[in-house]
Amino acid sequence: MKAMKRKAWLIVLMLGVMSSVALAATVKVITQEAVIRKEKRFFAPAVIRAPYGSILEELRREGDWIQVGFQGKQGWLHLSAVEEQKFRLSSLAGGRAEEARQDEVALAGKGFTPEVEKAFREKNPQMRYDLVNQVETYKVGEEKLQAFLRAGNLREPGGGS
């Protein structure tokens, strides 16, 4: 009798855990890299960076900002960097996610699909796409960005500090 009660409690407990996992909201990074920030500001210090395609746990939303969890860290991200994901049990059961190629990631960062870029190149053959690619490789560290903002007394869009 005790064994049966234990089994019943174990089943109830497992169902509870599974339902909480199934209800967990997730979002997927749709930009080349999403900077998860300490506060709901575009230039707030970075907590962690999530590459294209990363799945983040949604914790809450406030306006156009979403608080997320990623690799044990929490922070804020603008909604424009993610899309909502539908939870699929098969992904927990070892289903394989499809990965994007590097050129697709680069195009996503520019907002182009391969078809849109091809049409644009045909209409504008004189454009120097190599220069765009070169500029995109330039990275500014978080400390340098914060120092630049302080030195210039620059404010967030909309008047935030």
Side-chain angles (χ1 to χ4, degrees), residues 62-147:
E62 288 185 20
D64 289 338
W65 292 88
I66 181 171
Q67 187 179 33
V68 297
F70 180 64
Q71 295 183 345
K73 300 193 184 240
Q74 293 182 6
W76 292 91
L77 188 61
H78 195 266
L79 281 171
S80 62
V82 295
E83 70 179 4
E84 291 184 56
Q85 291 290 226
K86 301 258 191 266
F87 177 80
R88 282 188 243 161
L89 192 56
S90 62
S91 66
L92 289 180
R96 183 159 185 238
E98 185 177 321
E99 293 183 17
R101 296 186 327 257
Q102 185 61 35
D103 62 332
E104 292 173 329
V105 172
L107 289 173
K110 297 174 189 173
F112 287 163
T113 63
E115 296 80 19
V116 170
E117 184 170 10
K118 181 181 178 200
F120 190 81
R121 283 180 187 262
E122 288 172 0
K123 288 181 185 175
N124 303 284
Q126 76 286 0
M127 294 293 291
R128 294 283 312 273
Y129 297 99
D130 60 317
L131 296 177
V132 173
N133 293 335
Q134 184 180 350
V135 168
E136 286 182 335
T137 64
Y138 185 75
K139 303 286 184 200
V140 176
E142 196 65 34
E143 289 180 19
K144 284 186 177 182
L145 174 62
Q146 294 301 321

Side-chain angles (χ1 to χ4, degrees), residues 36 47-49 55-57 59 68-75:
I36 300 169
V47 174
I48 190 170
R49 296 173 185 272
I55 303 298
L56 314 175
E57 178 186 3
L59 302 173
V68 297
F70 180 64
Q71 295 183 345
K73 300 193 184 240
Q74 293 182 6

